[in-house]
Amino acid sequence: MDAILLQILNGLDKGSAYALIALGLTLIFGTLGVVNFAHGALFMIGAFCAVTFSKILTLSHKATEPSGTDFLGNPKFDDILYVNQFFGESTGAWMIDWAVPLAILFSIPVMIAIGFIMERGLIKHFYSRPHADQILVTFGLAIVLGELIKYFYGANPYPTPAPAAFAGSFDFGAMLGFDPNTIIYPYWRLIYFCFAAVVIGAIFAFLQFTTFGMVVRAGMADRETVGLLGINIDKRFTIMFGIAAAVTGMAGVMYAPINSPNYNMGMDFLVLSFVVVVVGGMGSLPGAVLAGFLLGVVESFASMAVVLEVIPGINQIIIYLVAIIILLTRPRGLLGRAGVMED
């Protein structure tokens, strides 16, 4: 039982990342009808927003020490952090420690701006083009973005630690009545799952209960009719592209302590996120979330040592096998809508 619970926790952790990326991807497809293969790159850029913000907080300048000179008579210099100079040492130290959560505030305007630039500068020209053209141009954009990150940050991963308060692990076993140290799970992975749940809930509440969200949902169902009512649905869809980019960027920020950001991490999540979207049903937001957590749990159980002893390497292909089975039995995915991607 303890092994099963541990794998469920691992699956929810992976599923949180899959669900957040797939949710943003589905928002773009459901509103604009664009198959955006650059969406994984947005996740990568979000992770590097955390790296960049951490670097900004550790910027410093040289200042002469008041103690005088060294034994050669040269003046002594200290590295003074700007953040300490502006906010004080205690506040500066707190900000550096909590750089990853604070980077969310930094990433939101950055990711919205990148989303607007992508949509207005490139993707809008491919709305009426075949999906194959959309895939080719956005996949090329993903490669370009990855190479830009590699050029400015290098090819090596950037370790980005979580706040010290969440550096340890939580004893789930003791809470559930098992022996102590039976089920140990990192605090930050639990934080990530809670963060994903809050973001997913906020997106669904925004679409369900706000006037803007209701108009967007109506436009997703019948874009032409909403346009005939005098509503500028294209403008709202562009805003949704920016929101989708921000959601994916925040997912990348919070994932940085779990998997050190590198220029290739967008490609690592790209294919998996599309499998999640297809399994959940193209254009279905609940389907994307459901499929994300489902496939995360399935992949986690397939990674167990006892399973790998029987079927070596099954953890590498289990998601694709599940996708094949679901699509053979339900061609539209778990919660797919009729007519989507069927032309």
Side-chain angles (χ1 to χ4, degrees):
M1 180 60 70
D2 58 337
I4 291 174
L5 290 175
L6 184 59
Q7 295 308 317
I8 290 176
L9 288 173
N10 284 330
L12 293 177
D13 166 35
K14 294 180 180 179
S16 298
Y18 296 162
L20 283 174
I21 299 173
L23 182 64
L25 186 60
T26 305
L27 280 172
I28 292 173
F29 180 81
T31 54
L32 301 174
V34 174
V35 182
N36 181 21
F37 258 62
H39 202 71
L42 296 177
F43 181 78
M44 170 197 65
I45 293 173
F48 275 94
C49 281
V51 173
T52 304
F53 190 71
S54 297
K55 286 180 172 291
I56 291 173
L57 290 180
T58 54
L59 289 175
S60 63
H61 65 94
K62 298 286 186 181
T64 306
E65 279 191 16
S67 58
T69 60
D70 60 17
F71 69 97
L72 294 176
N74 299 318
K76 293 182 180 179
F77 293 95
D78 273 339
D79 285 328
I80 306 298
L81 294 175
Y82 286 109
V83 68
N84 289 346
Q85 188 173 1
F86 294 149
F87 300 102
E89 290 192 7
S90 60
T91 303
W94 177 85
M95 292 177 68
I96 292 172
D97 183 35
W98 286 77
V100 171
L102 291 175
I104 292 177
L105 301 177
F106 171 74
S107 71
I108 290 174
V110 171
M111 296 307 301
I112 290 176
I114 290 174
F116 282 176
I117 292 170
M118 284 177 58
E119 196 273 338
R120 292 287 88 188
L122 178 65
I123 293 178
K124 74 171 185 178
H125 302 292
F126 289 84
Y127 288 161
S128 58
R129 301 280 288 272
H131 290 305
D133 292 354
Q134 298 171 359
I135 291 172
L136 287 173
V137 72
T138 54
F139 185 74
L141 178 61
I143 294 174
V144 170
L145 292 174
E147 290 301 315
L148 286 174
I149 291 293
K150 182 180 179 181
Y151 176 79
F152 287 105
Y153 292 90
N156 296 324
Y158 270 87
T160 310
F166 302 109
S169 297
F170 180 67
D171 193 341
F172 250 106
M175 186 185 73
L176 297 176
F178 292 92
D179 294 333
N181 299 323
T182 302
I183 306 176
I184 301 293
Y185 208 71
Y187 280 117
W188 191 254
R189 291 179 179 266
L190 297 173
I191 292 294
Y192 191 81
F193 170 71
C194 295
F195 166 79
V198 170
V199 171
I200 291 170
I203 290 296
F204 277 95
F206 172 73
L207 292 174
Q208 189 70 30
F209 301 115
T210 66
T211 302
F212 186 98
M214 292 177 185
V215 172
V216 168
R217 287 191 293 115
M220 292 170 68
D222 192 338
R223 180 172 184 162
E224 184 177 354
T225 300
V226 173
L228 291 174
L229 293 174
I231 298 173
N232 188 347
I233 193 64
D234 290 337
K235 181 179 179 180
R236 293 176 186 254
F237 282 175
T238 300
I239 294 173
M240 286 307 300
F241 195 104
I243 292 174
V247 168
T248 307
M250 289 190 294
V253 168
M254 294 295 284
Y255 203 75
I258 298 175
N259 185 13
S260 298
N262 65 85
Y263 77 99
N264 204 40
M265 71 184 303
M267 290 298 182
D268 294 339
F269 280 91
L270 172 63
V271 177
L272 290 174
S273 62
F274 263 94
V275 172
V276 170
V277 170
V278 171
V279 169
M282 295 295 288
S284 172
L285 297 176
V289 174
L290 173 63
F293 286 109
L294 173 64
L295 294 179
V297 172
V298 169
E299 184 182 14
S300 179
F301 276 99
S303 301
M304 296 176 66
V306 63
V307 176
L308 292 175
E309 289 178 2
V310 178
I311 313 176
I314 186 62
N315 59 316
Q316 302 294 324
I317 62 172
I318 186 62
I319 286 182
Y320 307 104
L321 291 177
V322 172
I324 291 171
I325 293 171
I326 289 178
L327 293 179
L328 284 175
T329 56
R330 295 183 61 86
R332 291 172 182 159
L334 294 175
L335 299 176
R337 295 181 286 114
V340 179
M341 293 281 290
E342 292 181 354
D343 53 341

